[in-house]
Amino acid sequence: MDLRIFTEPQQGATYDTLLTVARATEDLGFDAFFRSDHYLRMGAVDGLPGPTDAWITLAGLARETKRIRLGTLMTAGTFRLPGVLAIQVAQVDQMSGGRIELGLGAGWFEEEHKAYGIPFPKEKIGRLEEQLAIVTGLWATETGKTFDFHGQFYDLTDSPALPKPAQAKVPVLIGGHGATRTPRLAGQYADEFNMPFASIEDTERQFGRVRAAAEAAGRGADALTYSNALVACVGKDDAEVARRAAVIGRQVDELKANGLAGSPAEVVEKIGRYAEAGAQRIYLQILDLDDLDHLELISSQVQSQLA
């Protein structure tokens, strides 16, 4: 079971804070550092000092880390043109020596689009499908040949399809709760399917849909990695769990019901139940980025038991 650290910098984090967490992620033996792609804070936080851009952040971290994978859960398709995104991700992959993964979603948070003047189209899933076809098509085009795409939303003619990533194939992540179109897109394009903030029962059901879609696409269900994203709140005793829950404005009982909360033993047991539902990887949503002791506890007493 891979454990990855997943951050939400729109809630309030500088690049230096993210770098500190990424370095701790690497030093403590976690598999990867991922971040959200949002420009507006959510809930009752001030979000200071303001948002950081996902791909600018990852470009910096690509040069300041050595081992961990780096990526997004999820890049918002509404933020970037697919041709430009393909260039950005390929360049950051080169900068990292081939450690980048692209989580790509349709975009959903209308308020941040209004706040920063970003168009928020009504038809997002159709756009996402074309974006996936374009980004993966550009990377797959043989050097020296050109790429063309003529869709409903995007039109590319005689693209040199450059630059290429350092990896032969940048892993593409698709995720979500949708019962029909999301599994179909994952079955066709994804290297990993991520089920965010879902119960074990809903996870098992959605993994089943994606596995069926991958089979229907002729790829085979095991062509994908299956993962969950879950909030983490771990403590060595009840008092420490309660303290960490209070810092992030959550209740312990709610966190235990909907995330990975409690003692290391409780969290290991619950991860095991997600594994039984098909999860091969867990993204630990860490909301207090100043609490590096939290990461150390998870590394020494949770990750060590899953190795």
Side-chain angles (χ1 to χ4, degrees):
M1 175 68 73
D2 293 334
L3 293 186
R4 295 181 162 191
I5 300 303
F6 169 43
T7 62
E8 301 274 8
Q10 76 278 355
Q11 301 300 89
T14 65
Y15 172 76
D16 286 338
T17 297
L18 296 172
L19 174 59
T20 297
V21 175
R23 284 176 167 163
T25 298
E26 187 158 86
D27 292 343
L28 291 169
F30 293 104
D31 183 60
F33 175 94
F34 272 58
R35 60 156 292 164
S36 60
D37 186 20
H38 287 294
Y39 292 135
L40 192 67
R41 55 115 179 99
M42 302 172 193
V45 298
D46 58 26
L48 294 175
T52 50
D53 182 81
W55 286 100
I56 291 176
T57 297
L58 294 176
L61 297 180
R63 307 302 289 179
E64 299 193 83
T65 58
K66 295 181 174 62
R67 176 188 61 78
I68 50 173
R69 309 287 295 177
L70 301 165
T72 51
L73 279 183
M74 301 282 184
T75 290
T78 49
F79 290 174
R80 295 169 174 85
L81 296 170
V84 175
L85 180 62
I87 292 169
Q88 291 173 318
V89 177
Q91 182 179 3
V92 179
D93 193 53
Q94 291 173 0
M95 293 168 69
S96 73
R99 294 183 285 123
I100 292 298
E101 303 186 10
L102 171 63
L104 185 57
W108 62 270
F109 189 21
E110 186 172 7
E111 286 81 357
E112 69 187 334
H113 294 75
K114 291 178 179 178
Y116 286 96
I118 303 167
F120 189 68
K122 184 173 292 187
E123 175 49 68
K124 292 182 286 297
I125 297 296
R127 289 176 182 271
L128 175 61
E129 183 164 8
E130 291 192 10
Q131 291 163 349
L132 288 163
I134 291 166
V135 171
T136 58
L138 287 167
W139 291 337
T141 299
E142 184 180 334
T143 301
K145 295 186 177 180
T146 59
F147 176 80
D148 289 79
F149 182 90
H150 307 292
Q152 180 181 354
F153 304 104
Y154 303 101
D155 198 285
L156 287 73
T157 302
D158 292 334
S159 173
L162 296 172
K164 301 301 185 194
Q167 299 174 85
K169 187 178 191 317
V170 173
V172 172
L173 288 74
I174 295 173
H177 296 251
T180 304
R181 299 175 79 180
T182 296
R184 180 177 61 79
L185 290 180
Q188 184 173 357
Y189 290 107
D191 299 285
E192 178 177 337
F193 178 77
N194 180 263
M195 188 60 167
F197 311 113
S199 68
I200 294 166
E201 295 75 19
D202 288 345
T203 292
E204 188 169 23
R205 187 178 304 113
Q206 187 72 331
F207 284 174
R209 293 183 184 123
V210 174
R211 294 179 71 86
E215 294 281 1
R219 299 178 62 203
D222 293 335
L224 283 74
T225 296
Y226 298 86
S227 64
N228 286 92
L230 295 161
V231 64
C233 183
V234 189
K236 62 180 182 292
D237 53 36
D238 290 345
E240 190 167 80
V241 175
R243 177 179 63 79
R244 289 197 164 115
V247 168
I248 63 174
R250 304 279 286 270
Q251 298 295 317
V252 172
D253 288 347
E254 178 267 322
L255 287 168
K256 287 188 176 185
N258 298 311
L260 298 173
S263 69
E266 287 178 284
V267 170
V268 168
E269 187 275 333
K270 193 163 186 182
I271 288 174
R273 290 163 60 199
Y274 275 96
E276 290 173 0
Q280 300 161 291
R281 179 174 290 157
I282 300 289
Y283 292 80
L284 301 170
Q285 184 195 45
I286 302 297
L287 295 176
D288 181 1
L289 299 183
D290 295 318
D291 186 0
L292 299 184
D293 289 342
H294 192 197
L295 297 185
E296 196 284 327
L297 177 68
I298 295 170
S299 172
S300 64
Q301 298 194 37
V302 176
Q303 183 172 238
S304 61
Q305 296 188 59
L306 300 171

